[in-house]
Amino acid sequence: GDGVFQRGEEGAQLSSFGGSITSVDPDLKQPHTDEFSAGVELEAPGNIRVSGTYIHRQARDLLAITEVGIPFDTGYVPVPAIDTVTGQTVTLFNQRPETLGNDRLLLTNPSDFETEFDGFEISAQRRFADGYQFLTSYAYSTSDMTRTSISVRAFSGEEEGAGGIGFGTSAFTNPNQRINNTSGPGFFDRTHTFKVGGSYDVRRLGVTVAATAKVQTGTPYARILTLEEDASGTPFNQGPITFFAEPRDANRFPRLKTMDLRISKFFNV
């Protein structure tokens, strides 16, 4: 060829995107969060305050970009494919050729898009007296997000990003996005968090020594795989398919440990 594009050299249309095919649901609702919390606090001997708090939070009417032009049930055909890492057979969804380019996107409130959070924290604090103080706490939490965006780039964990708002992709645009992606924690979930901190005044030196330590469960992650063809070697009609090859919480990063130490001294000038 001459290296210059000529009409007739283009391939078949695989998909459409952009503002011309995107609309907003006229009944769009404002996302909202309902939260319930309960706590108890008591005074223990030695200037120590002990408290416990429980929090339940759920988000509803979340926003997401959804596909309404290509039905998930009739617009795709399930086909076997091979996981190139494990060698196992997985089921993916090959788009029917007659639906290619029929994309119609709708910004709406999917009924199956919601998040929940439950957390409990217990803490003990000694008020400053006799030259020292301390605070220690332990928190346990669980979270669940029904769908999240599949992306090889960093995801900040908020519901809007999970629905594809502002990220260029959506978790509601094709059935392959649902694979291993209908429940599980968000990507910033930390099940256990332990913190301890305190300070001590060395009066004869006029020095204050303070330290804070924190131990947190690592955040979850899952392997994301992109395949170009099915088990027979036939390319997918819509092009490469990217999906979660395992549940979103199949792995966790190593436990995060941090410690800060400060030594201070005041001078009169």
Side-chain angles (χ1 to χ4, degrees):
D2 57 7
V4 179
F5 172 76
Q6 307 289 338
R7 286 189 175 275
E9 293 180 340
E10 68 273 10
Q13 181 180 1
L14 299 181
S15 62
S16 301
F17 66 93
S20 63
I21 66 160
T22 304
S23 59
V24 178
D25 188 340
D27 298 320
L28 194 69
K29 301 175 183 177
Q30 178 72 31
H32 69 276
T33 300
D34 298 319
E35 182 175 308
F36 166 81
S37 64
V40 61
E41 183 177 309
L42 58 88
E43 191 77 17
N47 293 318
I48 296 177
R49 179 182 62 86
V50 180
S51 64
T53 305
Y54 166 76
I55 299 176
H56 173 77
R57 183 185 304 120
Q58 58 184 34
R60 299 292 186 267
D61 294 330
L62 299 175
L63 302 178
I65 296 176
T66 62
E67 174 63 69
V68 295
I70 306 173
F72 285 9
D73 53 350
T74 61
Y76 293 83
V77 177
V79 295
I82 303 300
D83 186 322
T84 54
V85 176
T86 66
Q88 297 180 338
T89 300
V90 296
T91 299
L92 299 181
F93 298 90
N94 192 22
Q95 189 173 343
R96 293 183 181 275
E98 63 270 20
T99 67
L100 294 173
N102 292 346
D103 305 84
R104 293 296 181 271
L105 303 181
L106 178 68
L107 175 62
T108 187
N109 309 101
S111 60
D112 59 342
F113 188 21
E114 55 189 35
T115 67
E116 289 193 1
F117 170 87
D118 288 281
F120 175 76
E121 181 180 42
I122 184 171
S123 65
Q125 179 181 16
R126 185 187 190 278
R127 291 188 294 272
F128 184 81
D130 302 322
Y132 73 97
Q133 62 182 344
F134 71 82
L135 170 65
T136 183
S137 67
Y138 165 75
Y140 172 83
S141 64
T142 61
S143 64
D144 182 80
M145 181 180 293
T146 55
R147 204 83 61 86
T148 188
S149 180
I150 299 178
S151 176
V152 296
R153 51 192 171 176
F155 168 57
S156 57
E158 75 278 13
E159 290 83 359
E160 290 78 6
I165 309 301
F167 281 76
T169 62
S170 172
F172 296 85
T173 53
N174 68 74
N176 293 297
Q177 297 275 334
R178 291 182 172 181
I179 299 173
N180 291 319
N181 191 24
T182 56
S183 65
F187 291 122
F188 274 70
D189 176 84
R190 296 187 185 274
T191 307
H192 304 280
T193 301
F194 175 75
K195 295 183 289 185
V196 61
S199 66
Y200 179 75
D201 288 348
V202 185
R203 294 178 178 176
R204 63 188 184 88
L205 298 178
V207 172
T208 299
V209 180
T212 301
K214 180 188 293 186
V215 181
Q216 296 176 288
T217 303
T219 53
Y221 69 94
R223 182 166 57 90
I224 295 175
L225 183 64
T226 298
L227 297 179
E228 298 182 353
E229 57 188 30
D230 62 21
S232 65
T234 303
F236 298 116
N237 296 325
Q238 69 267 43
I241 294 175
T242 299
F243 64 100
F244 280 115
E246 55 190 3
R248 297 201 313 252
D249 58 348
N251 310 282
R252 282 188 178 268
F253 287 104
R255 186 180 298 112
L256 179 63
K257 305 174 185 177
T258 60
M259 183 171 182
D260 298 312
L261 179 64
R262 185 185 70 188
I263 300 177
S264 60
K265 180 177 175 60
F266 291 95
F267 298 90
N268 295 322
V269 292

